[in-house]
Amino acid sequence: MEIFNRMEQHDYEQLVFCQDKSSGLKAIICIHDTTLGPALGGTRMWNYATEEEAIEDAIRLARGMTYKNAAAGLNLGGGKTVIIGDPLKDKNEEMFRAFGRFIQGLNGRYITAEDVGTTVADMDLIHEETDFVTGISPAFGSSGNPSPVTAYGAYIGMKAAALEAFGDDSLEGKTVAVQGVGNVAYPLCEYLHKEGAKLIVTDINQDAVNRAVEAFGATAVAPNDIYSQEADIFAPCAMGAIINDDTIPQLKVKVVAGSANNQLKEERHGDELEARGIVYAPDFVINSGGVINVADELYGYNNERAMKRVETIYDSITKIYAISKRDNVPSYIAADRMAEERIERVRNSRTQFLRNEHNILSRR
Ligand SMILES: NC(=O)C1=CN([C@@H]2O[C@H](COP(=O)(O)OP(=O)(O)OC[C@H]3O[C@@H](n4cnc5c(N)ncnc54)[C@H](O)[C@@H]3O)[C@@H](O)[C@H]2O)C=CC1
Ligand SMILES: CC(C)CC(=O)C(=O)O
């Protein structure tokens, strides 16, 4: 991979490689854009097959955070970290503390939180070395695990998408095919079950599947069969790039709405969903509940204030469909525009000179 060429696409600011031999830490922090404020985005720990795959994931996820934070109205830029390793086998205290020191070295340009493969306990270890971490234990006055809030946001976002597709936002009697029943999707299934939706679930982890079958009477299917189910809604809640040339022709649903980041393998796959009349809830909007919740910690966590903002996901999804119709563009483009316009407006308003401790007037 030509790293600078890759960074020039979509104008990435910084890519940081962090290595600590004694703990086995191999992390890549990617900061995409800090126009709106410090970059906030989670840390994913995953057993990447190659370093190139890890870099590509960090890069794609970081840009997604820029759009997510902008669209959510947060004063935060976008970044993300990937740690190369198996979260079930390779974690240790020293690794997260070493990682915390690397974050501290960025002096607030990047703030982390949980993502796939990392937990509140990991964030607490990072917190031993830096304050630039969120999603730490409620014992510290923080918001804790963001996943249940992400799930709630995904649930109300799915209702907004249902309104667009079916003319009614009730999910009662609707069949939802859920891919991955992990930290976000399990509480999402809980909301759906409570509302009377029928669930079809899959996961590569059999225990996760069994839990959902037992708790919600869900029907279990094999991972590769989830795309072709006779369902109303497909909820991708595992990894990215699952809306692609292989899967789109299998879909029989009217709605794609789930928590996974980077669902579209390429932008053209968003065009393809639109062409098939499938209502797509743009990923970085529907899954913004978690980041909205952890971002509130930066002001001194207030659950009521955070949840009020999470509730706006319904209106944001509805607004995206309105922009999509007005501008005659697919929903993923409408969502991108919403985020890009905000970043541009703030970028332009920041051109005035502002005196600070490091500029030409600092000794005056
Ligand atoms: N946790 C959060 O608050 C947020 C999570 N997200 C995104 O939502 C997605 C899920 O996140 P979490 O629930 O936190 O992760 P998780 O790791 O708890 O759950 C993911 C589940 O997907 C399963 N899985 C992985 N590959 C699969 C495949 N090919 N087929 C079926 N199942 C598969 C895993 O076994 C696991 O049970 C990720 O894309 C994450 O980036 C986005 C915003 C916030
Ligand atoms: C898990 C969130 C708190 C942040 C994040 O990385 C995301 O929204 O993808």
Side-chain angles (χ1 to χ4, degrees):
M1 179 190 285
E2 290 284 338
I3 292 198
F4 282 109
N5 279 347
R6 183 65 185 88
M7 288 175 76
E8 275 181 15
Q9 291 168 18
H10 308 302
D11 208 9
Y12 288 85
E13 288 180 15
Q14 197 173 2
L15 201 56
V16 186
F17 291 82
C18 314
Q19 190 282 135
D20 179 63
K21 200 170 170 183
S22 68
S23 66
L25 175 74
K26 287 188 177 59
I28 301 158
I29 302 171
C30 181
I31 297 176
H32 173 240
D33 188 292
T34 56
T35 303
L36 295 178
L40 171 57
T43 294
R44 176 173 290 190
M45 186 163 183
W46 192 253
N47 217 353
Y48 293 98
T50 62
E51 289 178 8
E52 193 162 344
E53 201 185 289
I55 296 168
E56 189 56 33
D57 209 25
I59 281 181
R60 272 171 59 86
L61 290 164
R63 181 163 173 256
M65 291 310 303
T66 298
Y67 280 73
K68 187 180 307 194
N69 294 339
L74 301 172
N75 297 316
L76 290 163
K80 198 95 176 188
T81 298
V82 303
I83 296 181
I84 300 173
D86 183 338
L88 298 177
K89 288 196 258 165
D90 297 333
K91 284 183 184 178
N92 56 63
E93 176 183 356
E94 311 83 86
M95 170 181 282
F96 285 99
R97 293 190 65 151
F99 177 47
R101 289 194 294 280
F102 281 110
I103 295 176
Q104 181 65 17
L106 290 169
N107 199 26
R109 277 179 51 70
Y110 171 68
I111 304 164
T112 201
E114 294 85 349
D115 189 47
V116 174
T118 59
T119 63
V120 175
D122 302 332
M123 297 307 123
D124 286 348
L125 291 173
I126 293 170
H127 186 226
E128 292 295 324
E129 306 288 341
T130 183
D131 277 337
F132 301 123
V133 53
T134 56
I136 51 180
S137 289
F140 297 104
S142 303
S143 64
N145 179 5
S147 305
V149 186
T150 304
Y152 180 65
Y155 166 64
I156 59 173
M158 188 185 285
K159 286 174 77 65
L163 177 65
E164 177 68 14
F166 309 117
D168 181 348
D169 76 358
S170 170
L171 299 172
E172 190 179 357
K174 294 278 184 288
T175 302
V176 186
V178 182
Q179 180 181 47
V181 222
N183 291 322
V184 176
Y186 187 86
L188 171 62
C189 287
E190 221 162 10
Y191 286 116
L192 295 172
H193 178 64
K194 224 181 247 171
E195 193 172 330
K198 293 177 213 134
L199 297 169
I200 301 173
V201 298
T202 194
D203 200 294
I204 50 173
N205 174 351
Q206 192 56 41
D207 290 343
V209 171
N210 295 345
R211 230 164 45 114
V213 169
E214 272 166 40
F216 313 121
T219 304
V221 297
N224 284 335
D225 294 341
I226 196 71
Y227 308 105
S228 57
Q229 294 302 309
E230 294 287 350
D232 300 294
I233 299 169
F234 173 48
C237 298
M239 305 306 270
I242 37 66
I243 301 294
N244 56 46
D245 291 336
D246 291 335
T247 61
I248 292 175
Q250 300 180 50
L251 294 176
K252 299 189 178 107
V253 294
K254 281 263 164 274
V255 173
V256 173
S259 76
N261 278 307
N262 295 334
Q263 293 171 25
L264 305 176
K265 185 167 186 199
E266 293 171 36
E267 292 190 341
R268 67 186 173 84
H269 296 116
D271 301 327
E272 188 58 34
L273 289 180
E274 182 82 9
R276 289 171 184 251
I278 297 175
V279 172
Y280 171 60
D283 48 11
F284 63 78
V285 180
I286 193 171
N287 73 12
S288 60
V291 78
I292 291 171
N293 197 47
V294 300
D296 198 82
E297 287 181 27
L298 303 171
Y299 300 95
Y301 184 62
N302 178 314
N303 179 261
E304 200 181 319
R305 180 177 58 205
M307 293 313 289
K308 228 176 185 176
R309 198 187 267 270
V310 171
E311 296 281 350
T312 65
I313 291 174
Y314 187 101
D315 292 341
S316 298
I317 297 279
T318 307
K319 185 174 165 193
I320 284 164
Y321 298 134
I323 296 174
S324 168
K325 284 193 203 94
R326 185 197 67 196
D327 297 353
N328 197 22
V329 292
S331 61
Y332 82 91
I333 293 183
D336 283 1
R337 282 189 187 167
M338 206 167 82
E340 283 162 1
E341 282 168 13
R342 174 156 184 252
I343 295 166
E344 277 321 297
R345 281 197 304 271
V346 172
R347 204 193 306 277
N348 293 337
S349 75
R350 283 184 134 193
T351 53
Q352 310 139 320
F353 170 74
L354 184 67
R355 181 174 178 168
N356 65 32
E357 286 166 20
H358 309 290
N359 62 38
I360 196 166
L361 295 181
S362 61
R363 288 170 191 275
R364 302 267 160 172

